[in-house]
Amino acid sequence: MSPDFQYVYFCALADQNLYRIPTEVLRGRGNFSQSYQHVGRKSSPSDGMVFSQKGLYVGALTNDMVYKQSLESLQGESNLTETPLFAQPMESLEWVDTFSIDEDGNLWFVANSLVRFFTNTMRFNYTDHANMRIWKVNIGENGYLWRDTNMASRQQLPYPILILIMVLLIKFVIVL
């Protein structure tokens, strides 16, 4: 979903085309088949993707890479502007999917050898190659769901009062 919640982006697993549809249509206010839009063509098919506040991160299945597509390049129908997250492709980035961005600006994703399972070439006996890796890369960006809640300005109960309330709740639960 885009950071402004106006579009849901999607693609077929075996295709390089990226599409979007207005969220209004998905809420039942339009015709899906007439409302989706072709956004552009990626350099590789992808499985997972996630928006930050500044762009779309996409796994590239055939390139062993993660790319960032700027918000500007997602506005029109064209070849997308892809910036690689790493300097060069790596075998350890095989089949990248399952993306998430945490509150510290880290992009988390899984890279696995699942495709080798289907071709009977998965390496179960080797200790020098993992069949799955969990990656954490600092991108210095917030995820698309992040909102500044300005916690410092909120009125907070003093810590001792919170402890007192917890003790009272526990006693109340025990009595029941």
Side-chain angles (χ1 to χ4, degrees), residues 17-171:
N17 292 302
L18 181 66
Y19 301 93
R20 70 181 182 182
I21 188 162
T23 53
E24 183 175 298
V25 172
L26 297 175
R27 288 187 221 109
R29 298 184 186 113
N31 185 325
F32 182 89
S33 64
Q34 296 175 353
S35 301
Y36 73 91
Q37 304 161 356
H38 183 256
V39 175
R41 189 164 171 82
K42 303 172 289 163
S43 63
S44 169
S46 58
D47 188 4
M49 61 181 134
V50 69
F51 265 101
S52 72
Q53 294 284 325
K54 298 180 180 180
L56 178 66
Y57 288 87
V58 178
L61 297 181
T62 58
N63 297 346
D64 296 335
M65 181 57 72
V66 175
Y67 291 106
K68 177 183 178 184
Q69 298 164 356
S70 70
L71 292 177
E72 294 79 25
S73 75
L74 297 171
Q75 299 307 312
E77 189 171 325
S78 65
N79 285 332
L80 300 170
T81 305
E82 298 177 322
T83 305
L85 191 59
F86 302 100
Q88 63 188 24
M90 294 180 267
E91 182 184 356
S92 57
L93 285 172
E94 188 175 41
W95 201 279
V96 178
D97 67 3
T98 316
F99 287 84
S100 182
I101 300 174
D102 68 19
E103 66 275 0
D104 295 324
N106 297 306
L107 175 67
W108 292 78
F109 57 90
V110 173
N112 62 66
S113 300
L114 185 60
V115 68
R116 293 178 176 275
F117 180 78
F118 297 111
T119 60
N120 259 352
T121 58
M122 194 166 239
R123 298 171 265 198
F124 292 109
N125 298 328
Y126 298 103
T127 57
D128 61 339
H129 180 82
N131 285 315
M132 181 175 68
R133 291 179 171 85
I134 299 173
W135 286 75
K136 174 185 171 186
V137 179
N138 187 279
I139 57 171
E141 299 175 17
N142 297 308
Y144 74 102
L145 293 175
W146 181 85
R147 296 292 179 259
D148 185 5
T149 57
N150 199 1
M151 292 296 287
S153 68
R154 290 186 177 180
Q155 292 286 336
Q156 295 184 356
L157 292 173
Y159 187 69
I161 293 175
L162 287 174
I163 292 177
L164 178 62
I165 292 170
M166 292 293 290
V167 169
L168 290 173
L169 286 172
I170 291 169
K171 285 184 177 184

